[in-house]
Amino acid sequence: MKLLVAVKRVVDFNVKVRVKADQTGVELANVKMSMNPFDEIGVEEAVRLKEAGTVDEIVAVSMGPQQCQETIRTALAMGADRGILVKTDDELQPLAVAKLLKAIVEEEKPDIVILGKQAIDDDSNQTGQMLAGLLGWSQGTFASKLALTDGEAEVTREIDGGLETVKLKLPAVVTTDLRLNEPRYASLPNIMKAKKKTIDEKSPADYGVDTAPRLKTLKVEEPPKRSAGIKVADAAELVSKLREEGVI
Amino acid sequence: MTMPEDIAAEGQDMEQIRQAVRALCADFPGKYWRQKDRDREYPTEFVTALTKSGFLAALIPEEYGGSGLGVTHAGAILEEIQKSGCNGGACHAQMYIMGTILRHGSPEQKARWLPKIASGELRLQAFAVTEPTSGTDTLSLSTTAERDGDHYVVNGQKVWTSRAEHSDLMLLLARTMPKDKVEKRTDGLSVFVVDMRKALGNGLTIRPIRAMINHSTTEVFFDNMKVPAENLIGQEGKGFRCIIDGMNAERILIAHECIGDGRWFIKKATDYANERVVFGRPIGQNQGIQFPIARAYAAIEAADLMVKKAAAMFDAGQPCGPEANMAKMIGSEAAWQAAEACMQTHGGFAFAEEYDIERKFRETRLYQIAPISTNLILAYIAEHVLGLPRSY
């Protein structure tokens, strides 16, 4: 069985992000970048499936600037077999990513695609669903458990009301939630081996995909600073304060 | 003087290695180390995790199951360990003691030991050189090894043999020819690999030494301990040389640990100075707090350049005795400066165990004394580099 896993390069979760002075986005210069944590969970799941003998080959895909190669290398050091980098310095929105992934899926013909449920930079939570839609495949999103058997995937999903278990026909798209697994750190021999694994470099044009943004960012702002609260004596005062503020 | 090219930009694999080490260390927080320190326990779980991930085999060539990297990479591993608040001193010797076998062992000896050291099946992290009466004057050591048929019989005593209780093999330097009979003063010493699993109770006694830090250090006694002749490394009588050429690696690696310690102290001090509010403002707003931290930071950055230079020269196969020694000296002093700044910044809280500062403070002090004391480095620079008259 062949598995495709998508890995996005994002601002490291430890970094305190700052809005750029011109309000067009957040500061990325000299900021530590890492693999999106949900994608890391995806890679870990893929590697576990390979270790269990369910999956034979893992292909890691990333899209964006040249440095995304480092993100792929991390996936390779964790245990992915080879990588594909779709190189572009243009902004890629979820729809463009989903279209590019669709083109790669048609070429690679994996049995399953695993993505993070969302990326921690834009928190879109769209790419996996769009990809399944474009491919006409089944989807199991927010997975906290994944079991593959004879052409089927059983996915336990984290939903508002608790857990929901769905059975999907393969090929399928699965997106990972936080509790699916705890990703490993790469061992030194695997970091060294990863250096010898291949990463194919492509461009959006190679797949004939129009990646022009469909959404326009108008303005990016810092959230307002939290100011000190006040104490109210009783419920009646609370209600009147809320009325004053026009909240109710 | 030229600077190594890669001094500013480390390779991409280096960053991956650093990340992986940090991720591993995250599983061993201050709480873990405090318990080990309190109970004087060996951090077995931490050492096992490092071993399993292959980090301690960084310097062993690939053909023997290691990663075949240089001290630049191995040093980065140790630096990250210290920077994460962990203590590489528990196992750093597993990285470099094998160097004597690698450089001077026969092909059979290498095939016999190196793959098992690489996998961690065998720990070789005890190095028996120092004696109570000889100290740094290694050539006056008096432990003897006398040939008797197909083995040597060892008698004597060593001290400050760290990790002897947590090692399977020990590298031993002993006298095989009396000092007054050798042609050259550096002759007459030989190196042996002692299998402590067999020797313990058969002529070998290990006695732990309670010390200022949890370093699992011991004194060891040899009473007619037999060592098979095939465990002699290199030529009989030429052991001093087999030991001395591993010392630069040791110094450069430990210098990296100093840099890691320094970075840990500076981060700890900076975070606290930003958060701690006294008299209505963060204490870090006072220059009396800022300057010692800033000065220590500058010292660490400067020391880091020396450490990187020494490592690059070592990996390029260039002679680097002065650089390795200076890196260790400057690194250990910069780390101590950072430790001081961190402790002073925290005031009374620095003494509370839960801040980890007092523990790291004790631990980093060691590096101005071991593996070689600052005075001996200064004497070396003065007499061997600058050509001043010999004092000893």
Side-chain angles (χ1 to χ4, degrees):
Chain A
M1 193 180 282
K2 188 167 171 180
L3 190 152
L4 198 102
V5 61
V7 293
K8 185 177 183 183
R9 180 172 179 268
V10 298
V11 174
D12 187 83
F13 71 95
N14 274 316
V15 171
K16 221 173 151 186
V17 290
R18 288 210 179 89
V19 172
K20 275 200 227 166
D22 64 3
Q23 297 193 321
T24 55
V26 297
E27 197 54 72
L28 292 180
N30 295 320
V31 168
K32 187 173 160 14
M33 307 290 282
S34 300
M35 188 191 294
N36 177 36
F38 292 109
D39 298 344
E40 223 177 334
I41 293 171
V43 176
E44 175 65 34
E45 196 64 16
V47 175
R48 287 186 190 188
L49 286 167
K50 192 177 170 185
E51 284 168 349
T54 317
V55 162
D56 309 303
E57 193 189 18
I58 303 167
V59 183
V61 182
S62 191
M63 298 173 192
Q66 183 63 44
Q67 294 94 315
C68 291
Q69 198 203 35
E70 292 163 25
T71 312
I72 297 176
R73 262 318 148 206
T74 303
L76 298 178
M78 287 173 74
D81 296 292
R82 60 188 172 88
I84 299 172
L85 166 65
V86 183
K87 205 176 124 186
T88 173
D89 290 323
D90 297 335
E91 183 198 347
L92 288 180
Q93 292 181 347
L95 183 63
V97 176
K99 284 179 178 173
L100 284 168
L101 281 173
K102 174 179 182 263
I104 293 171
V105 164
E106 280 163 358
E107 214 172 89
E108 293 283 342
K109 304 195 173 22
D111 301 281
I112 182 165
V113 181
I114 300 185
L115 307 89
K117 71 168 180 181
Q118 66 197 67
I120 61 164
D121 50 3
D122 57 21
D123 281 332
S124 290
N125 188 349
Q126 295 172 357
T127 308
Q129 294 89 329
M130 285 176 170
L131 175 64
L134 290 170
L135 286 167
W137 286 11
S138 352
Q139 56 180 302
T141 50
F142 317 124
S144 66
K145 212 173 151 194
L146 170 65
L148 296 182
T149 44
D150 295 334
E152 281 181 343
E154 204 175 275
V155 179
T156 304
R157 308 181 59 229
E158 299 207 351
I159 57 169
D160 285 348
L163 296 176
E164 178 190 65
T165 305
V166 293
K167 203 174 253 180
L168 316 173
K169 270 219 172 66
L170 294 180
V173 173
V174 172
T175 74
T176 64
D177 214 320
L178 197 62
R179 279 157 288 270
L180 181 59
N181 59 50
E182 230 176 90
R184 71 194 61 196
Y185 40 79
S187 72
L188 184 57
N190 285 342
I191 292 172
M192 301 310 289
K193 272 185 222 151
K195 288 169 76 174
K196 291 171 193 149
K197 293 178 180 174
T198 54
I199 298 178
D200 284 333
E201 220 178 280
K202 302 275 190 179
S203 74
D206 292 339
Y207 298 106
V209 171
D210 166 21
T211 61
R214 303 295 199 266
L215 304 168
K216 196 176 156 197
T217 302
L218 300 178
K219 197 160 70 170
V220 177
E221 289 176 294
E222 298 262 0
K225 274 223 167 87
R226 280 183 70 173
S227 49
I230 47 162
K231 274 188 183 167
V232 293
D234 49 33
E237 194 190 341
L238 175 65
V239 172
S240 73
K241 289 278 178 202
L242 290 174
R243 284 224 170 93
E244 268 172 47
E245 296 291 323
V247 183
I248 52 173
Chain B
M1 195 177 285
T2 54
M3 297 287 269
E5 280 173 1
D6 58 353
I7 221 156
E10 288 187 342
Q12 184 189 319
D13 55 328
M14 187 74 111
E15 182 47 33
Q16 279 198 335
I17 292 172
R18 288 181 183 276
Q19 262 179 29
V21 175
R22 279 197 293 272
L24 185 155
C25 289
D27 291 341
F28 300 93
K31 195 177 151 206
Y32 173 82
W33 294 100
R34 288 195 290 276
Q35 183 266 316
K36 295 291 170 195
D37 187 64
R38 190 170 52 241
D39 301 332
R40 287 294 190 266
E41 274 176 18
Y42 189 69
T44 305
E45 304 79 8
F46 173 71
V47 176
T48 305
L50 275 178
T51 307
K52 275 192 182 159
S53 305
F55 290 113
L56 298 181
L59 293 170
I60 300 177
E62 282 178 286
E63 56 176 312
Y64 298 113
S67 287
L69 294 167
V71 295
T72 303
H73 288 81
I77 292 168
L78 292 172
E79 182 192 328
E80 287 302 325
I81 290 173
Q82 301 304 107
K83 197 172 135 193
S84 306
C86 299
N87 188 4
C91 53
H92 55 204
Q94 175 82 358
M95 272 185 169
Y96 57 74
I97 292 182
M98 66 81 209
T100 299
I101 299 178
L102 180 64
R103 283 186 302 273
H104 303 283
S106 65
E108 295 76 35
Q109 288 172 329
K110 289 191 233 183
R112 179 176 160 202
W113 287 309
L114 291 180
K116 287 181 181 168
I117 294 169
S119 72
E121 187 186 334
L122 280 180
R123 281 196 194 141
L124 168 59
Q125 51 178 0
F127 194 13
V129 179
T130 305
E131 297 184 2
T133 53
S134 69
T136 310
D137 184 7
T138 307
L139 294 175
S140 325
L141 65 80
S142 58
T143 294
T144 56
E146 275 180 65
R147 183 79 189 233
D148 178 14
D150 58 0
H151 56 262
Y152 286 82
V153 179
V154 180
N155 280 290
Q157 178 188 352
K158 297 284 177 181
V159 73
W160 306 121
T161 309
S162 297
R163 302 162 295 267
E165 294 175 295
H166 304 283
S167 192
D168 303 302
L169 306 177
M170 172 201 276
L171 203 67
L172 168 70
L173 188 65
R175 187 158 283 288
T176 42
M177 185 179 275
K179 207 178 173 185
D180 52 10
K181 289 199 179 138
V182 293
E183 273 176 41
K184 276 167 66 186
R185 54 193 286 272
T186 52
D187 282 354
L189 300 175
S190 302
V191 180
F192 301 92
V193 170
V194 179
D195 192 333
M196 291 195 286
R197 296 166 302 175
K198 290 177 188 150
L200 207 59
N202 295 308
L204 172 68
T205 310
I206 302 175
R207 199 185 291 162
I209 303 175
R210 287 281 296 191
M212 183 171 89
I213 59 170
N214 180 23
H215 202 63
S216 315
T217 201
T218 72
E219 49 187 344
V220 293
F221 301 88
F222 312 110
D223 180 14
N224 288 321
M225 178 183 76
K226 285 184 175 181
V227 179
E230 73 241 28
N231 286 20
L232 170 76
I233 304 290
Q235 249 181 298
E236 188 185 294
K238 300 285 181 191
F240 187 65
R241 220 157 303 155
C242 302
I243 295 288
I244 210 88
D245 65 6
M247 288 188 171
N248 286 338
E250 180 184 48
R251 273 157 218 187
I252 296 169
L253 291 173
I254 286 172
H256 279 91
E257 294 190 324
C258 296
I259 302 299
D261 275 349
R263 298 218 152 108
W264 183 88
F265 283 120
I266 285 163
K267 168 139 197 339
K268 193 96 177 164
T270 309
D271 288 351
Y272 188 73
N274 270 320
E275 284 160 19
R276 171 75 169 162
V277 175
V278 180
F279 298 120
R281 59 189 202 164
I283 59 169
Q285 204 171 340
N286 303 308
Q287 290 182 328
I289 295 288
Q290 288 175 357
F291 287 4
I293 306 173
R295 194 176 283 276
Y297 176 77
I300 283 292
E301 289 302 310
D304 187 42
L305 289 177
M306 190 75 232
V307 174
K308 286 203 167 89
K309 181 180 177 186
M313 288 175 77
F314 185 94
D315 287 339
Q318 295 168 11
C320 59
E323 288 75 12
N325 276 290
M326 288 189 283
K328 206 284 285 187
M329 183 181 88
I330 300 171
S332 64
E333 290 177 351
W336 182 242
Q337 198 178 337
E340 262 291 314
C342 184
M343 184 162 259
Q344 200 66 27
T345 301
H346 279 75
F349 287 107
F351 286 73
E353 284 181 3
E354 65 170 292
Y355 280 75
D356 296 310
I357 296 163
E358 57 85 32
R359 174 176 55 83
K360 287 287 264 186
F361 189 83
R362 285 181 279 123
E363 285 171 358
T364 208
R365 184 63 181 79
L366 173 69
Y367 294 138
Q368 288 173 81
I369 293 174
I372 182 154
S373 99
T374 303
N375 277 357
L376 265 294
I377 293 179
L378 290 171
Y380 171 83
I381 297 169
E383 294 162 28
H384 293 269
V385 181
L386 302 176
L388 291 166
R390 296 212 52 170
S391 59
Y392 59 96

